[in-house]
Each structure stands twice: as structure tokens, then as C-alpha cells.
Amino acid sequence: MDRTGSIASTGRTDRTDRTGGSAALQVKALASLGEGAVGTVGAVGAVGTVGAAAAPASTTTPSVRTAVPPLPFGAHLTQERSQAGARFRVWAPHARHVAVIGDFNDWSATPLQREPGGEGNWAGFVPNVVRGDRYKYQIVTHDGRTLDKADPWALYAEAPPATASRVWDLDHDWGDAEWMRTRAQRQSMKSPISIYEVHLGSWQRSPEGRLLTYDEIGKRLAEYVTRMGFTHVELMPVAEHPFYGSWGYQVTGYFAPTARYGTPQDLMTLVDTLHRAGIGVILDWVPSHFPSDPHALAHFDGTPLYEHPDPRIGFHPQWNSLIFDYGRPQVREFLIRNALFWLEHYHFDGLRVDAVASMLYLDFAREPGQWVPNEYGGNQNLHAVRFLQELNTRVYDAHPDVHVIAEESSAWEGVSRPVYAGGLGFGMKWNMGWMNDTLRYIQRPHFFRDYHGDDIRFSIWYAFNENFLLPLSHDEVVYGKGSLITRQPGDEWQRFAGLRALFGYMWAHPGKKLLFMGGEFGQAREWHHETQLDWHLLERPMHAGLQRWVADLNRELRAKPALHEDDFGSDGFEWAASDTHQPTVLAFFRRASRGAAPVLVVCNFTAQPVRGWRIGVPDPGSGDGTWRETLNSDAHLYGGSGMGNLGGCKAQDVPCGGYPHSIVITVPPLAVVFFEGAGPQSDASGHPPGAPSRNTDARPLRRLS
């Protein structure tokens, strides 16, 4: 579902609350809530504190695999008094009675006992329960109603539209030890990260239109993603959801992978297969809201239990769903245990947290009078802030080699900054401002782009305020927005050239990358969850050329440290200086550590070539003085016109923009060209010899004479 909501996401201004105070100042007031606000969860165990720093996967510390703790609730196959069966445990504090019904007792009620301690937990052993048995909890509410509820902690469920839970286990013989051992290095902040976003039910299907199984998808994905050069796959939500058209964002079974594609072990096999192929797997995770289906979490024991009781806080008017009560310790623990569950039992390498902005703001998608200010009069949901800080602290404490990525569409300060510094503690944040500005720019007719250069340049002003990931996600190819290829202006050749230029610019821009499936070959129609991608388009040369371009961009990203090693610091970026200003041409350097070759990237966003353009360079290039042209989106093999620089440009001893050398280049129409220098050692300041001071200002330099 579209998660941008009503909050502007250009990133141009700092979001403030309605009383005029900054969000950061209000968050600091969390300290006054005291550690007692975190509390304990009774028999579940104490919730961790949020004072420690969240430590994103920015080091190469080897992954340490510890014993996976058992889940405190749900159905667990076991033996008691020499009799096989299952022990059930559920939280229902306001219920009069709780029983379990299922295949093992012909759906007649077997009572559970309320545990002592006053936490509201019910438990009991039921004999003759076997793997695969269906069950529900039968709850008698405080006012005498009887509810049949699926288990919130169930490991598996019936395939929709059926709604019962299934007794299951998590046994799997993993074969990804090498991946897990090297994961910290493979996905550190200094490593290349290029993510392929996938919806499992519509990426590919069988010839007759059948949904593929997890196992089938895993084998095909491993082969395709390896060939395309992506480092990771991101799966749209796989937790059980009744409405297929929600794309997984309306979750009813938080611990149960959807049965549409197979069993829990089949999903483990998918992850295992991708890991063996050297591909990381990120899971789209939804702690922001849940549907009101009567069999699931809503009014679980007859009262608002998982949701906030005040509909001005606990009901989402835009999505017609319920919002978790982040101030309740048991709810926070449910969600944090769920996040850890997917990382530990399914070996996912990261979580993309959906709709973070909707959690942070009490007035998200609400009109005046429809929301309740916090205790300081602001619009920040302080309980949600504390939950996110606690989530990230505990995840990174347990698994420092994973990523937790925020899909956050506002200008909230410090989303990817440590908790100890007042941040939310995420490892990365989606750069929605870059996405919105860039797509607005590329949709403009070419002759109007001269007057809208800020749209394409502005992102550098804030590119290093957070650890940004650049997304072109599923949300950008649905709901009448059109596909990426149809949003390009001009004729067919210009549209494909423009999309190649967009991808080239994106892969060169600071930040990690994410592309939704189908974009890599120019899917023409909008994405729809009910049909597979239009793979037949690859029979057409322009589509095949675009796909080849994306694969080569991924190879370039992996091969050139300058393009990935310093994505989050200004030292990795510098505007290039030219002798004349071209409003629709961007030129910039990407740099890495001492001794690594710099990369010069030149982007032309109009259909007119630029010839004889002089750019200052910090060194004379390779041994023969050449700056090599390593990639050119206008090459014939990508569907271009074949214009270029004959493999490179020799540096001349002509100063330009403060550099002692310069090159004269040809920039093809609607194209991106990559040049590689010789990689001189830096001086003590970190700058190449003879380089001017770093220019990360949003305005490109030009020589004044």
C-alpha cells in the first residue's frame, strides 16, 4: 500500500510540531518519562533499556550466532508426563475464560488456566496435538461474548481465506554458514549495497498462472539476481495477511509466513538458497498498524489490547486499520520479539520498517481536531519514539551485522543516528526527498528542465544528514503514477535513454540503492499484484539493453570503491568544475579511501549532446594521461546512439576550477558517462594533491573568466 501519507517528503524543511517546538527538543523530553515507562512484561521478561547506542552494520565484526531463545507464547510441541502434545500460552488479561479448540479435540473447548502473577497469561498442555493441526483460542470476554481468535504468536496458519492457526515447528537444516560468517563484511556501511525489491506473488508465475512456491521462487531469484549483480533482495511483507491486495501490509499473523507460497521451512529454504548464492535478504516489516479482522489482533480479549483504546490515536483513517499501543510494554515486547524472530529463525539480513512517519506523528493523515497532542502539546508520538529506539537498540545489540532501515517520509531529525545521541537508532533511512524531487524532474519535458535544476541538485544539500538509501520502490509504479519508463517524456528512444540516465544518476549518487522489480527492464504497465511481470518485453532490444545497463551499473558499483565506500560522508562526493555552465548537465566526483581511483560522473538530462566541455580533474589520469570511460549509457549495446569519448579522454595541462589539469569531453544526449582516474594518494587532509577544497555545495562550480 502507498505509505507516503499526507506528510510532505521533500526533505526541504525541518518538521516542527504545531506548538512551534522542534521534534528533537520534544524527543529529549522522553527522559522525563523515566525507565519505569519501559517496564517489564511479567513472565515474558524485562524489556531492554533504550540508553545504549544502536550499532548499525558499519563494522566488519564477525557474526556471532547464539542460541535462539524460545518464543514465550504460542503453541509448542512437547511431551509432558510421557504424553505427546502441545503447550499453549496466550495473553488475554481481560478475558473471563480461555480455551483452545482445534483438530485435536474436534473443535470442542479444552480450558487453559490463568497463570498466577496477574499478568493476564493463560496456559495449558493439550495431549495428542501433532504438527499441522489447526487451532484457535476461544475467549469468553468480560461481558460474556465468545470470540474465536487466531494465535498472535502462531508459527503457521491456514491459507486465506481460512483463518485458523496451525501447530508447527521451526526445524531446518541451514546451509548458509559461510554467508552468516562473512555477513558483517558483506553488508557493512562501506560495502556496495544494491537491493532488488520483490513481491513474491507477481515477480514470476507458472505458465498456467499458478503462484510459485517459496522454494521455486528462491531458485529463480538466486539465478536472476546473481546475473543482474544486485547484492540483496528485499521481500515485500511475507507475514500472513488475509487480503492479497494489501500486498502484505495488513498483517494478521505476525510470526507466520503466508501459506500462499508454502510452509515456514519453504521460506527458510528461499533465504538459504539466496545466501548460498551470496545474496542478502531483507524483509519488509509492518509494526505501524494492523487490520481489524475479527479473527486476529483487534479487540483480542474483547477490549482494545494490541491497539490504542482512543480511536484518535489507535485508528488509522487513511488505511482503515488499527494502530499499536506503543505505550503498553506487552505490545512493545510482542513487536520486538517479532523483529528478532525473523532475524534469528529465518536468517533475514535486515528489516525495512514500513510507514515510520505514521508512527512518529500523532497527526499523521488527520485533520485538526482528529488527533490528541502529547503531554507537551506537540504532535510527536513519544511512546512510538521510545519503541523505535528500544527496537533498534535490542536488534543491534543481538545482531550487529544486520540492517534496520526506516521508510520514513518526513524530515524527522536523527532517524539513522544513535540512540545515545537522541536519534531513533536506525541503520539507514529511505531518501524520500531524493525520490520525489528526482521523479518530478525526470517527468518534465526536456526543454523545461533548464528552469528546474534545483529538483535534481537539491538532494546534495542534505545527502549526508542521514545514512540514506535511494529508493525507486513499488509505491512509485502504482495508483495511476505510471511505470518508470512511461513517466519519461519524448519518443520511445528518448524514454529509454532517459530511464538509463535516471538509473546511471541514481547509482552514482551517494547512498545505497533500491529498485523495484520490473524497473530494470522497463516494465511498461503499472505493477499489479495479480499478474507476473511482462518478461516477454525482453525480446525487444530496447528493453534488453536497459536490463544490460542495470547489470553493468551493479558491476561498476561493486568494482569501484569510490562508488560505495563513502556513501554517507561528504568526503565521498565533490561537484566537478567546468568552464561553462550547463543547467541540465551534472558533473561530480565520487571518491574512496587513500589510493583508490576517483570516479567522474557526468549526467546529461536533455536530448541535446554537449561537445567540447572542459572539466577540471585532480590528476593526469592513468599512465598515458587518460581518464578512462568505463561506462556510457549511450553505448549501442544498451540501445543508445553510440556517441562517446572513444574509451577515454587525455588530461591536458590546462587549469580549470582550481585543478591543474582538465579534460575535454563529449556528453551524449540523455546519458550518463563514468570516467575513472588514476587514483593518486591523498595528502594529509584527505584531498588528492593539487585539489581545491571540497565543494559539496548544491551549486556546480564553473570557471569564471
Side-chain angles (χ1 to χ4, degrees), residues 167-488:
V167 179
W168 210 258
D169 60 50
L170 296 170
D171 296 338
H172 181 71
D173 185 15
W174 287 93
D176 63 348
E178 176 63 17
W179 169 269
M180 299 302 285
R181 185 183 67 82
T182 60
R183 180 168 71 177
Q185 180 179 358
R186 288 174 181 263
Q187 59 177 30
S188 79
M189 292 297 200
K190 291 184 176 293
S191 298
I193 294 181
S194 175
I195 304 168
Y196 187 59
E197 187 188 20
V198 172
H199 178 260
L200 291 176
S202 56
W203 180 65
Q204 287 186 359
R205 292 192 173 187
S206 71
E208 64 274 14
R210 172 185 60 83
L211 293 175
L212 300 179
T213 66
Y214 290 119
D215 187 31
E216 291 171 326
I217 298 168
K219 292 174 182 176
R220 297 188 187 193
L221 265 179
E223 189 277 330
Y224 182 73
V225 172
T226 299
R227 183 157 52 89
M228 289 300 299
F230 289 98
T231 64
H232 289 70
V233 167
E234 179 175 302
L235 303 181
M236 291 173 67
V238 300
E240 194 58 83
H241 49 284
F243 177 43
Y244 188 60
S246 76
W247 315 333
Y249 291 100
Q250 299 272 357
V251 178
T252 53
Y254 270 80
F255 292 81
T258 179
R260 292 175 175 88
Y261 313 115
T263 67
Q265 281 71 22
D266 292 334
L267 177 57
M268 294 175 189
T269 298
L270 180 152
V271 176
D272 209 350
T273 300
L274 290 169
H275 280 176
R276 293 186 195 203
I279 300 162
V281 192
I282 296 169
L283 177 66
D284 203 337
W285 184 60
V286 190
S288 50
H289 68 130
F290 59 93
S292 57
D293 294 62
H295 74 279
L297 297 179
H299 280 71
F300 186 77
D301 64 355
T303 67
L305 192 62
Y306 289 89
E307 66 270 35
H308 197 284
D310 188 334
R312 296 173 298 174
I313 301 174
F315 177 74
H316 201 302
Q318 189 178 50
W319 302 326
N320 194 32
S321 57
L322 302 174
I323 300 171
F324 285 103
D325 185 354
Y326 304 109
R328 179 167 278 177
Q330 295 90 340
V331 173
R332 291 200 305 272
E333 185 69 7
F334 171 79
L335 291 170
I336 292 171
R337 285 292 186 103
N338 184 244
L340 292 168
F341 168 83
W342 293 109
L343 298 171
E344 292 166 351
H345 289 281
Y346 286 85
H347 289 200
F348 281 106
D349 304 297
L351 301 172
R352 178 263 195 187
V353 182
D354 181 62
V356 172
S358 74
M359 302 167 66
L360 292 174
Y361 295 104
L362 294 166
D363 61 343
F364 186 93
R366 297 179 190 273
E367 298 299 324
Q370 296 180 344
W371 60 281
V372 182
N374 63 36
E375 54 263 52
Y376 304 102
N379 63 346
Q380 296 83 19
N381 188 333
L382 301 182
H383 289 299
V385 171
R386 173 151 292 224
F387 161 70
L388 292 171
Q389 291 177 324
E390 184 182 345
L391 165 74
N392 287 315
T393 298
R394 290 178 61 183
V395 167
Y396 281 125
D397 279 351
H399 304 283
D401 56 348
V402 304
H403 287 292
V404 187
I405 305 167
E407 189 244 350
E408 202 283 316
S409 57
S410 78
W412 186 281
E413 183 181 351
V415 172
S416 59
R417 295 297 177 253
V419 172
Y420 67 77
L424 296 182
F426 285 95
M428 286 186 279
K429 170 184 172 173
W430 276 26
N431 194 336
M432 308 293 279
W434 171 89
M435 178 272 296
N436 283 322
D437 288 348
T438 300
L439 291 181
R440 182 170 58 249
Y441 181 81
I442 64 100
Q443 289 176 210
R444 298 187 189 279
H446 304 133
F447 49 83
F448 284 149
R449 293 180 179 177
D450 278 9
Y451 312 104
H452 297 280
D454 284 352
D455 283 347
I456 203 69
R457 291 181 171 91
F458 181 73
S459 60
I460 294 302
W461 280 107
Y462 59 87
F464 312 111
N465 292 348
E466 301 273 4
N467 298 335
F468 278 125
L469 182 149
L470 310 182
L472 290 176
S473 73
H474 64 276
D475 276 332
E476 308 319 312
V477 292
V478 290
Y479 297 147
K481 296 176 183 177
S483 64
L484 293 179
I485 189 67
T486 59
R487 292 161 83 167
Q488 299 285 336

Side-chain angles (χ1 to χ4, degrees), residues 6-190:
S6 62
I7 293 179
S9 47
T10 63
R12 293 174 184 257
T13 58
D14 290 335
R15 171 97 183 203
T16 58
D17 70 89
R18 299 279 170 92
T19 66
S22 72
L25 289 174
Q26 295 252 343
V27 172
K28 289 179 181 178
L30 279 169
S32 67
L33 293 178
E35 289 304 319
V38 179
T40 62
V41 193
V44 176
V47 179
T49 63
V50 298
S58 57
T59 69
T60 56
T61 304
S63 174
V64 178
R65 307 307 300 166
T66 57
V68 178
L71 295 178
F73 293 99
H76 300 275
L77 292 167
T78 186
Q79 273 195 346
E80 294 191 11
R81 298 184 179 88
S82 301
Q83 190 168 19
R87 174 157 285 276
F88 295 86
R89 191 164 185 255
V90 64
W91 178 52
H94 304 107
R96 283 188 187 175
H97 305 286
V98 177
V100 62
I101 56 177
D103 293 330
F104 40 81
N105 60 11
D106 293 326
W107 297 90
S108 59
T110 300
L112 301 181
Q113 301 302 311
R114 186 189 291 270
E115 293 181 343
E119 300 296 337
N121 301 323
W122 300 73
F125 175 79
V126 179
N128 303 317
V129 179
V130 298
R131 187 179 191 253
D133 276 352
R134 299 170 300 164
Y135 72 99
K136 282 187 175 182
Y137 293 117
Q138 190 171 87
I139 296 174
V140 179
T141 68
H142 66 287
D143 56 0
R145 291 173 292 126
T146 299
L147 308 176
D148 290 346
K149 290 285 191 175
D151 188 349
W153 295 73
L155 303 177
Y156 193 32
E158 287 187 288
T163 60
S165 303
R166 286 190 183 276
V167 179
W168 210 258
D169 60 50
L170 296 170
D171 296 338
H172 181 71
D173 185 15
W174 287 93
D176 63 348
E178 176 63 17
W179 169 269
M180 299 302 285
R181 185 183 67 82
T182 60
R183 180 168 71 177
Q185 180 179 358
R186 288 174 181 263
Q187 59 177 30
S188 79
M189 292 297 200
K190 291 184 176 293

Side-chain angles (χ1 to χ4, degrees), residues 667-691:
V667 192
L670 294 171
V672 174
V673 185
F674 291 72
F675 297 90
E676 185 179 39
Q681 294 291 328
S682 300
D683 61 24
S685 69
H687 297 184

Side-chain angles (χ1 to χ4, degrees), residues 195-199 202-204 221 224-225 228 230 472-474 477 483-486 496 499 503 514-528 531-535 537-538 542-544 546-547 550:
I195 304 168
Y196 187 59
E197 187 188 20
V198 172
H199 178 260
S202 56
W203 180 65
Q204 287 186 359
L221 265 179
Y224 182 73
V225 172
M228 289 300 299
F230 289 98
L472 290 176
S473 73
H474 64 276
V477 292
S483 64
L484 293 179
I485 189 67
T486 59
F496 276 94
L499 188 51
F503 290 157
L514 178 140
L515 180 64
F516 183 57
M517 62 182 198
E520 77 276 13
F521 64 80
Q523 170 88 7
R525 61 175 174 84
E526 282 193 343
W527 169 64
H528 198 282
T531 58
Q532 72 168 3
L533 298 179
D534 294 330
W535 295 99
L537 294 175
L538 287 169
M542 296 297 281
H543 292 272
L546 177 62
Q547 183 193 50
V550 173

